[in-house]
Amino acid sequence: MASEVSERQARQVAEAAREAEWKLPSFGRELFLGSFRLELIHPQPQLEPEAVQRGERFLATLKEFLEREVDPLQIERDAKIPDHVLDGLKRIGALGIKVAEEHGGLGLSQVYYNKALALAGVWHAAISTLLSAHQSIGVAEPLRMFGSERQQRKWLPLVAKDHVSAFLLTEPDVGSDPARIAATATPIEDGYLLNGRKLWATNGAIADIVVVMAQVPQGDGHRGGISAFVLPYDSDGVTVEHRNAFMGLRGIENSVTRLENVFVPGENLIGREGEGLKIALSTLNTGRLALPAICVGTAKWATKVAREWSRERVQWGRPIGEHDAVAQRIAFIAGSAFGLEAMLDVASRLADNKATDIRIEAALAKLYASELGWQVIDALIQVRGGRGYETAESLKARGEKPVPAEQVLRDMRINRIFEGSTEIMHLLIAREAVDQHLQVAGTILEGDGDLRSRALAAAQAGRFYAKWLPRLAVGEGQNPRAYEEFGPLAGQLRYVERGSRRLARCTFYAMTRWQAKLEYRQAFLGRIVDIGAELFSIAAAASYAHTIGREQPERGAEASELAELFCNQARRRAQRLFQELWSNDDDANHAAAQRVLAGRYLWLEDGIVDPAGEGPMIPEEVKRVATGEHVAAAAG
Ligand SMILES: Cc1cc2nc3c(=O)[nH]c(=O)nc-3n(C[C@H](O)[C@H](O)[C@H](O)COP(=O)(O)OP(=O)(O)OC[C@H]3O[C@@H](n4cnc5c(N)ncnc54)[C@H](O)[C@@H]3O)c2cc1C
């Protein structure tokens, strides 16, 4: 099955899983369309005092627990979260932070769930990864959103209390492209039989209940398609074949899990057959805020370490923080910490408020925080010099403070790959960014349809663009008094307004130039999305500084300074990206890559010896096991 999926089919599956409707207004969608609707994110919704109180109480409990009972060096040394730590997390309710109180959880808001992840993640990223895989993608969130009342009553109290959960989608031959899912769910009386092999399931080595994605064959009254199931992990036929080890995140319980004729009752199907990917994607709409939260914690910690170290360390007669090259990095680290926190706070309050659709903002936050967070840690390593490269254990053994910068760099790297790699996030967000155009002009762009339907589509598109295009010419960003209430940050918001219109013009121009082929211009689309992320981050920083001024007046001026610092950095990045939209080496690079792939420069690889040896990267027999062919063969 897997190898038969064409590019077109893969895209059709992704398209079908996409939430096509926009029931609520979206700041991100409007931003890409050239309409800067600041009122959709600002003023930020007020936090409810009662929710704040409960949230702060839990943060204090979590902090005390981490400091008293968890040794991060031990997790790193043993590559294992000790049992007493897991038990402690269960005891304080950390497995049910976001689960409603009526189902036995703490019922905290998205804002406080994120703060908890940031706190735990800084102590050791294996802990925040356990918690977020369990709650953001594991059983709780898909059931909260799509589970029946019966399913919620049955499973949520368990996962909120002490049943660790995991999410099993990926397979050896199925990564970013879920259309290839080979695991099967064969309907039988009262339920389904699951077969297949699942790769890289975080928590999968110790889970109690998991969500599994598998293909239900069509026919015999079955709608079929990729479907999501809740599966008790102690079911017969479930085998954890391997505990995977990684560059970082030492201590996560990540598995290869084999499913062999595993019975799952029909009542464990989440939603309907064929809705599995939609469920996975919708779960990620807010689930995606977990990773930015962890990045925010890391960036704040990097600011602390950079500050303390750069004041204390003296070289060439001065604290290193006074040398300009180091000072530039400190400004980058601190500015980024503020900008990332702003973006997260804006998106999380919107998530709690539920008045807008935040799928684009959450996706932008994931993309942006994982990329910028990585650069922040890289900058910190440089500021720490040789100590940045040394392990915390080794520093400690020499009597120095055990600052785990190299560990954090290793831990952070995965954020650019899982829960949607940067490349896939670019495509996903770009799809949303051009959605309105596809709605009004898709038929023309694709060149699909007969003459009559294309003529109708042209007329419809004509009407839309006759109104839309003139709006891109002028706007509040040209009014020197606009956004005055933001004081020194007003200019930054005027830039966002102008930038949003420019971005929409560039997108429109690219669509007319490349039409349906635009989707293959990934480097171009990536920049469009990255510009959108910079613009959103600037708007978020201005709004967040304003909020701090309202909620903590004594910090208002300082927040404004940090916002200015961050906005200037973000603006320069946006300007560079705008320039590179039309002046780049994309075509030449793409052609060169094809020549590399064709083996034209094989001689360039002379003089090395490959420690992995020769042969295919994923041998056929591994793929065969992954597709469950061995089971079919055994049965046959
Ligand atoms: C530590 C860890 C934890 C994980 N936890 C889980 C989990 O709990 N549950 C789970 O189901 N999965 C999990 N995963 C899997 C993770 O989500 C995948 O690694 C991710 O989806 C990417 O898939 P892949 O690694 O197979 O890369 P591939 O899809 O093979 O991609 C390889 C490269 O090609 C790029 N690429 C792929 N398609 C395109 C395209 N159309 N256009 C442009 N570029 C493209 C990718 O961005 C990437 O750079 C985990 C992985 C790791 C390493």
Side-chain angles (χ1 to χ4, degrees), residues 167 169-170 175-176 200 202 246 254 414 418 421 423 427 522:
F167 176 77
L169 181 136
T170 304
S176 312
W200 293 329
T202 301
F246 301 97
N254 186 284
I414 187 59
F418 64 10
S421 67
E423 293 74 20
L427 297 186
Q522 293 190 343

Side-chain angles (χ1 to χ4, degrees), residues 55 58-59 62 66 94 97 108 110-122 127-128 131 293-294:
F58 176 69
L59 290 182
L62 178 63
L66 292 170
I97 302 175
L108 297 190
Q110 183 72 36
V111 167
Y112 274 93
Y113 172 64
N114 289 342
K115 283 180 192 281
L117 288 180
L119 191 70
V122 168
I127 298 179
S128 52
L131 295 177
I294 293 165

Side-chain angles (χ1 to χ4, degrees), residues 248-260:
L249 294 185
R250 286 168 64 79
I252 63 167
E253 297 287 349
N254 186 284
S255 69
V256 176
T257 301
R258 187 187 284 206
L259 306 167
E260 229 165 335

Side-chain angles (χ1 to χ4, degrees), residues 337-391:
F338 181 85
L340 292 182
E341 181 164 70
M343 217 167 174
L344 179 72
D345 196 76
V346 165
S348 307
R349 290 195 198 202
L350 292 180
D352 283 332
N353 205 36
K354 297 187 174 63
T356 57
D357 185 324
I358 63 146
R359 81 182 90 148
I360 294 187
E361 290 87 309
L364 287 173
K366 190 280 173 186
L367 167 72
Y368 193 74
S370 59
E371 288 292 331
L372 203 64
W374 167 252
Q375 290 172 35
V376 163
I377 287 302
D378 185 50
L380 178 70
I381 299 263
Q382 199 66 22
V383 169
R384 283 278 289 162
R387 285 166 180 80
Y389 196 68
E390 188 173 4
T391 66

